[in-house]
Amino acid sequence: MKAVFKFGKKFDHNGKSSRIPGFYKLDLSQRLDKLNDWYKLTRNEKWMLKKETLTPELADMMIENAIGVFGIPLGIAVNLRLNNKDYLVPMAIEESSVVAAASNAARLIRENGIMVGQATEPIMISQIQIVDVEDPETARQKILDNKERLLSVANQNDFTIVRLGGGARNIEVEILETISGPMIIANLLVDCRDAMGANIVNTMAENLGPIIADLVDGNVICQIVSNLSDRRLVKIKFTLDNVDCLARAGYSGKDAAERLVKAYHFADADPHRAATHNKGVMNGIDGVLIATGNDWRAVEAGVHAYAARDGRYKPVTKYYFDEEGKLNGEIEIPMAIGIVGGITKIHPGVKILLKMINVETASEIAQVIAAAGLVQNFAAIWTLATEGIQKGHMTLHAKNVAVFAGAIGEMAIKIANQMAHEGRVRFDRAKELIKHFMIKERCEDPKHKDDQECKDYNPFKLLDNNNKN
Ligand code: NAD
C-alpha cells in the first residue's frame, strides 16, 4: 500500500484575508484587537492569550511531578495563502526572526505567485514484532491469510474512527534479518482521520500482538506506533511568476533566485548543510505544532527519518526553475498531527488557536504546517544567498541581548535599536550602553547637574556610530 497524494482538496474559503499590513507595528493589545476582524475573540480569550492559557492546576493534571507552567512567546505569522485560502498561523517559539521571516516570505509568494498543497490519507503505522517463529515464511503467509479477521479485531478497539470512515486498513508483513536472527514484523496501517493517532494505533497493536503471536506460534515483543509516518505525507509547492521581488543586497531578483537554487544544491549534496537547512524548515513547523497542541517530537522524528530515506540525509525542501523559467519551491514530509485527541481539546490556549486557524480536517492543518515550514525555509535560504543571515537576525535578536545584559523596558528597546544601528549586537556593547543610558538619565535630573560624573559626561562619546567593528 503506497502513499497516494490526493490532489489538494479545496477547503471552504472563509472570505477572510490574512494579509494584515503593518501588523508588526502594532503593540501587543492592538494586535489582539486586530485579530477580531478575523476571529471574534472574547475578552476572556484575549486575556488568556496575553497572560495565561494554562493554569498550574491543569498542568498538574497533564504531567507528573508538575511544579508550574513554563511560558514561551506566542506570535501570529500573517499573509499565508494556500490552496486559495488564507490562514493566520499561530507560532509558539522563542527564536526571534522566525515569525517575521515566515510572514514576509508568505507575502512575497501570495503577491507574486501561488502556493498549493496535497496530502495523502491520514494513515499511521503501528509495528508488531514477533520473535521465535520456526518458519518465518509460513508465519508471514499465515498472518496474511488471516488479515481480514485481524483487521476486524483491530477495529473493535475504536468504533469512533471506524464510524468516521477511518480504522485499520491493512497489514503488511516483513521478515526482518536482525542481530538476533529473523523476526516477523507486522505493520498495521490505520486511517486515523483527524487524530494524530499514536494512542489509537498503539491500542490496536497491543490487542493484536498476542493474537498474531498465537497464530504463528511465536512471542511478541514491541507493539508500537512508528514515527516514520511515511504513509501520511504532505506536499506543498509554490511557484513565483517573476523573481524581481527577490532583488536584495545589490543582487537582481534573477541573480538572487539563481544563488538561492545553488544554496539548495549545496544542501542536497552535503548532510552537514542539509541538517541546518532542515532546522530552518522545522523553525517554521515546530512553533505551529506547539501552538496547536501537537506532538512536535513525533513530527521531528518523522521528518528527519524521512529526510534520510534514501540512505543519505537530504533537505526536505527543494528549489528549482521549471521549463518556463519560473522559480518553484517544494516540501514533502510526513505530518502526523491531529485536531482532536492528545491535548488539543484540553489546553485552553490550543482550543482558542485551533478555532482561529480555522481548519476542517487534520489533513488541512497538516498542509498549513508544512507550508509554514516551506515559507520559513524559503525566507532563510533567500537571506542566506543574498545579504547573509546575521544582519537581520542579530537586529531582531538585539532586544534579547539587551535584556541579557540587564536592560529592561524602554531602555532595552533603546539599547537594541542603538546596537542594531551600529551593527554591533554584542553583550559587551549592551553593558556599555546600559551604563551610558543610566548616567544620561541621572544627569538629566537637575539635582545631579553638579556631580562630577555629570560634568564629565559626553552624550556623544559612547554613541559614536562610526565606531563599528
Ligand atoms: P487520543 O488518545 O486522544 O485519541 C483520539 C481519540 O479521538 C480516539 O479515541 C478517537 O476515537 C477520537 N476521535 C473523535 N473524533 C475523531 C476524529 N474526527 N478523528 C479521529 N479520532 C477521533 O489521541 P491520539 O491521536 O491517538 O494520540 C495522540 C497522543 O499520543 C499525543 O498526545 C502524543 O503525544 C501521544 N503519543 C505519541 C507517541 C509517539 O509519537 N511515539 C506514543 C504514544 C503516545
Side-chain angles (χ1 to χ4, degrees), residues 301-315:
V303 168
H304 295 296
Y306 195 66
R309 66 191 178 283
D310 296 333
R312 190 158 65 80
Y313 189 84
K314 292 258 195 176

Side-chain angles (χ1 to χ4, degrees), residues 158 160-161 164 192-200 202 225 227 295 297-298 340-342:
D158 200 320
T160 309
I161 55 161
L164 292 168
C192 292
R193 298 283 89 197
D194 292 323
M196 182 265 191
N199 287 326
I200 297 174
N202 284 347
V225 64
N227 285 116
D295 185 337
R297 288 89 53 208
V340 297

Side-chain angles (χ1 to χ4, degrees), residues 199-424:
N199 287 326
I200 297 174
V201 301
N202 284 347
T203 308
M204 288 183 176
E206 287 200 354
N207 280 300
L208 273 193
I211 299 173
I212 295 180
D214 263 5
L215 187 69
V216 299
D217 206 11
N219 290 306
V220 63
I221 302 185
C222 299
Q223 303 148 94
I224 181 79
V225 64
S226 168
N227 285 116
L228 175 50
S229 37
D230 55 2
R231 310 298 172 94
R232 191 175 190 173
L233 299 173
V234 283
K235 200 192 247 185
I236 311 293
K237 174 178 169 177
F238 73 75
T239 307
L240 288 187
D241 292 330
N242 92 60
V243 289
D244 291 348
C245 58
L246 298 182
R248 188 171 180 183
Y251 296 105
S252 69
K254 186 167 170 290
D255 286 349
E258 278 166 3
R259 288 172 67 85
L260 183 153
V261 170
K262 284 182 186 156
Y264 153 66
H265 291 165
F266 173 21
D268 186 60
D270 176 30
H272 283 93
R273 174 68 207 120
T276 320
H277 181 104
N278 287 345
K279 192 273 180 183
V281 173
M282 299 316 290
N283 270 348
I285 289 178
D286 283 346
V288 197
L289 293 173
I290 295 170
T292 56
N294 275 293
D295 185 337
W296 74 95
R297 288 89 53 208
V299 174
E300 282 273 354
V303 168
H304 295 296
Y306 195 66
R309 66 191 178 283
D310 296 333
R312 190 158 65 80
Y313 189 84
K314 292 258 195 176
V316 291
T317 58
K318 59 180 174 187
Y319 300 94
Y320 60 94
F321 294 101
D322 60 22
E323 9 5 288
E324 293 175 57
K326 291 181 177 174
L327 180 67
N328 287 256
E330 275 182 39
I331 186 168
E332 183 183 305
I333 45 173
M335 188 54 72
I337 47 85
I339 53 170
V340 297
I343 62 157
T344 56
K345 298 281 187 265
I346 299 170
H347 190 295
V350 167
K351 288 202 277 185
I352 302 171
L353 295 169
L354 275 177
K355 276 196 269 174
M356 190 191 299
I357 205 168
N358 190 24
V359 291
E360 292 169 28
T361 61
S363 269
E364 184 181 0
I365 202 172
Q367 292 176 57
V368 174
I369 295 170
L374 176 61
V375 297
Q376 167 59 34
N377 177 245
F378 174 51
I381 306 301
W382 174 40
T383 307
L384 189 60
T386 52
E387 71 175 26
I389 283 291
Q390 278 312 78
K391 188 167 171 247
H393 187 79
M394 289 314 277
T395 304
L396 287 166
H397 186 55
K399 266 188 255 170
N400 293 349
V401 175
V403 173
F404 180 33
I408 49 170
E410 278 294 300
M411 189 192 281
I413 295 171
K414 272 191 212 161
I415 289 174
N417 288 342
Q418 180 64 27
M419 290 193 298
H421 178 70
E422 293 173 2
R424 286 200 290 168

